[in-house]
Amino acid sequence: MKRSLFKILVVILLISFPVLMHQVYRWTTALPSQITIAAGYPEGRYYGLADQLKSTLEQQLNIKVQVLETKGSLENLQLLRSGKADLGFYQPGTELALLKLKKPEDRSEPNIHNSDHICFIANLYSQVLHIIVRSDSDIMDVEDLKGRRISIGQKDSGDLASSLALLRHLQINLDEIDEVYLSYHEVEELLDQKKLDGMIVTVGIDAPLLHDLLDTGKYRILEIPFSAALARKEAGFYEYEIPAGMFRRSDPTVPAQNLKTVACGAHLLARESVSDELIGHVTSLIMHQNFSRHMHLNELFSEGSGFARDNQSFPVHAGADHVYNPDLKPFMNSEFVEATEGMRSFIVSMLIAAYLLFRWIQKRRAKAQGHKLDSFIIKLVEIENKQMQLDGNNPDDGPALHILLDEVTSLRQETLQQFSAHELNEDRATDAFLGMCHALSDKINAKLLGWKIDRLGETITRS
């Protein structure tokens, strides 16, 4: 009965295990009901991309997306690290560049170990470094920036990080210019009012800010000297050339000729703990040509995954890597494997424990059977000792031998009643005991036969 119950429990466990694993898989790989994207200024390119991602994800995945207005790259990174944002836009190198602005006693090196908790999804476009001044300004080259009122970007922004790197390259200290920290909207107003001499800005070549300013013909772009050296010295920068007439083709042409500068990537990052399924959807959406065409991500549109994976500032998220390298995608979702590791260990432990319990019960039963056989064997030995004292020669031996033979028969029948047919077939000890009973019965029968022959001889002699 116990053995049958154990088998039933094992069968139920084996049947329910796949169902349980399926439910756990669905739970661990389910998309979140809401995500948050750390963007930037409402008038910036990051915010526009975040708004488009919000619209598409809500439509395709039926999840709620919140877009956070932030001061820029550094705040986005901090929101990701604190878990207050799931995705965020970032200009590589911003954190280390802005660290140099702080006083030595206020500086704290970024926790390199924590960097593993932030992952790279895609490089979206090139953010190009521009120095923009009024066309009627007497600022003709970068040396003329000294002593002028220049906007270098809002605090904690990628613009500010790039401006600091550029000023170091130009060997211009912050105290040599009248630096101001303005939003794009404020910059446009002050430039138009001639209350600002120029601006240093790092944005995509198709940014509305650039076209709104430069298409008017009232502004021009200064050339950055030794731009190749700047790209070599500053991590994250690479050489870039703005083609002539990019912003204005009628006189005055802006720029008047091909203009060498530097650029850096615009990265979309995510927390490592964000669902692989969600990041896979986001990456596939970004890589789809309709998205890159609609958002004017021309480099991403033309170069595809090669550009998307370029200049990685953090390890690639597993969900994005599955899109970039579909052949390397594991058979089972990594989150599911990680989430069910404890459950799988528990189930295996339970199966091992059940097997060991089953073996222990078997041994106890075998031991119990051994104890019952011991008592039977003792009785059998007593009968055998009694029959050894009877040789069948005495007239009184016959009745005594008959009694012993009946005792052996009764002992054998009692044994057969105590053990099932399966146990009799499988248990060698029981089989050996029954063999001993048969052998002892044969000995007693032999002595009884001799006794009967002797008695028959005596009868014949008397006659």
Side-chain angles (χ1 to χ4, degrees):
M1 179 64 184
K2 292 181 179 179
R3 183 164 187 153
S4 299
L5 180 61
F6 175 76
K7 288 182 178 178
I8 292 172
L9 290 175
V10 171
V11 170
I12 292 174
L13 180 61
L14 292 176
I15 293 174
S16 60
F17 183 73
V19 178
L20 179 62
M21 288 296 99
H22 175 69
Q23 291 300 323
V24 173
Y25 181 83
R26 290 186 60 185
W27 174 69
T28 54
T29 60
L31 295 175
S33 59
Q34 177 176 338
I35 63 169
T36 302
I37 303 176
Y41 321 118
E43 62 269 25
R45 192 83 188 277
Y46 286 171
Y47 200 95
L49 286 166
D51 201 47
Q52 182 61 38
L53 277 175
K54 166 185 166 69
S55 175
T56 309
L57 290 174
E58 286 184 337
Q59 181 180 3
Q60 292 184 359
L61 304 181
N62 194 29
I63 62 175
K64 186 177 180 181
V65 180
Q66 180 184 13
V67 177
L68 296 180
E69 179 183 339
T70 69
K71 296 178 182 178
S73 290
L74 185 59
E75 185 178 356
N76 292 349
L77 190 63
Q78 291 169 345
L79 288 170
L80 285 170
R81 284 201 173 120
S82 65
K84 296 178 180 178
D86 302 295
L87 281 72
F89 295 90
Y90 181 70
Q91 179 179 306
T94 298
E95 186 175 33
L96 290 176
L98 295 183
L99 186 67
K100 298 176 182 178
L101 267 184
K102 296 183 179 181
K103 297 178 181 179
E105 60 271 17
D106 296 332
R107 293 179 185 176
S108 58
E109 291 293 332
N111 192 332
I112 298 176
H113 300 291
N114 282 344
S115 297
D116 292 338
H117 299 299
I118 306 298
C119 291
F120 173 90
I121 298 178
N123 180 36
L124 302 176
Y125 61 92
S126 292
Q127 300 186 99
V128 185
L129 182 58
H130 301 79
I131 307 175
I132 300 175
V133 297
R134 294 187 57 84
S135 296
D136 56 3
S137 169
D138 58 353
I139 300 176
M140 305 308 297
D141 58 40
V142 294
E143 285 295 322
D144 297 331
L145 294 175
K146 294 180 179 180
R148 304 304 179 98
R149 193 164 191 245
I150 306 297
S151 171
I152 59 175
Q154 283 191 302
K155 292 183 177 180
D156 294 341
S157 68
D159 283 325
L160 178 56
S162 298
S163 298
L164 294 175
L166 174 63
L167 292 173
R168 281 196 303 272
H169 170 69
L170 300 177
Q171 297 181 334
I172 298 176
N173 296 324
L174 275 179
D175 56 9
E176 293 182 284
I177 63 171
D178 180 13
E179 83 277 9
V180 289
Y181 306 93
L182 304 174
S183 68
Y184 294 155
H185 180 69
E186 293 171 324
V187 165
E188 288 188 77
E189 286 187 354
L190 293 179
L191 281 173
D192 189 56
Q193 297 170 9
K194 297 186 179 182
K195 295 180 180 179
L196 194 65
D197 295 309
M199 67 181 297
I200 302 173
V201 62
T202 306
V203 292
I205 201 78
D206 295 311
L209 170 69
L210 294 179
H211 291 270
D212 290 345
L213 288 174
L214 299 174
D215 190 48
T216 63
K218 298 179 181 180
Y219 304 94
R220 52 190 167 84
I221 307 173
L222 296 183
E223 183 176 7
I224 298 175
F226 308 109
S227 57
L230 174 58
R232 180 65 63 88
K233 288 187 298 184
E234 299 292 338
F237 279 140
Y238 47 88
E239 294 181 65
Y240 194 93
E241 186 174 79
I242 304 173
M246 178 68 197
F247 303 107
R248 180 182 171 91
R249 284 163 291 285
S250 57
D251 188 52
T253 304
V254 182
Q257 58 188 6
N258 290 352
L259 199 64
K260 290 185 178 181
T261 180
V262 295
C264 61
H267 293 175
L268 179 60
L269 307 178
R271 288 185 294 108
E272 186 180 28
S273 58
V274 177
S275 162
D276 289 359
E277 292 294 318
L278 174 62
I279 299 302
H281 281 292
V282 172
T283 309
S284 298
L285 170 62
I286 290 171
M287 294 302 300
H288 198 283
Q289 291 186 335
N290 287 343
F291 182 85
S292 55
R293 185 190 297 112
H294 177 71
M295 298 306 298
H296 303 289
L297 304 175
N298 298 327
E299 294 160 305
L300 183 62
F301 179 82
S302 60
E303 300 178 38
S305 62
F307 181 81
R309 291 182 288 179
D310 200 16
N311 298 312
Q312 298 170 13
S313 52
F314 293 90
V316 181
H317 195 286
D321 195 39
H322 296 163
V323 177
Y324 295 135
N325 301 291
D327 294 339
L328 300 179
K329 185 175 181 178
F331 175 73
M332 298 186 70
N333 184 280
S334 58
E335 292 176 344
F336 170 73
V337 173
E338 183 177 350
T340 58
E341 181 177 359
M343 180 179 293
R344 287 183 286 109
S345 299
F346 173 75
I347 291 175
V348 171
S349 299
M350 289 299 294
L351 289 174
I352 294 174
Y355 173 75
L356 293 175
L357 177 62
F358 174 70
R359 292 293 298 169
W360 178 79
I361 292 174
Q362 275 192 323
K363 290 181 178 179
R364 285 294 300 267
R365 293 179 65 183
K367 187 176 181 181
Q369 290 175 0
H371 286 317
K372 287 187 287 187
L373 281 177
D374 286 345
S375 63
F376 293 147
I377 290 173
I378 291 172
K379 293 179 180 179
L380 187 64
V381 171
E382 291 176 354
I383 296 172
E384 186 166 15
N385 289 333
K386 290 179 182 178
Q387 68 85 24
M388 288 176 63
Q389 297 174 7
L390 304 173
D391 55 10
N393 295 326
N394 297 322
D396 297 332
D397 289 349
L401 290 171
H402 274 290
I403 293 172
L404 294 177
L405 184 61
D406 290 340
E407 289 180 359
V408 173
T409 303
S410 298
L411 189 60
R412 182 167 56 246
Q413 289 177 348
E414 186 178 354
T415 304
L416 293 173
Q417 291 174 357
Q418 289 287 335
F419 298 97
S420 64
H422 175 74
E423 290 170 335
L424 292 173
N425 290 330
E426 297 294 328
D427 193 349
R428 296 181 59 186
T430 307
D431 187 56
F433 174 75
L434 293 175
M436 293 168 60
C437 290
H438 291 307
L440 184 55
S441 295
D442 290 341
K443 288 182 180 180
I444 295 173
N445 281 322
K447 289 185 176 182
L448 278 173
L449 180 60
W451 178 80
K452 290 178 180 180
I453 292 174
D454 289 343
R455 302 289 77 76
L456 181 60
E458 291 177 356
T459 304
I460 295 172
T461 302
R462 283 198 300 269
S463 302

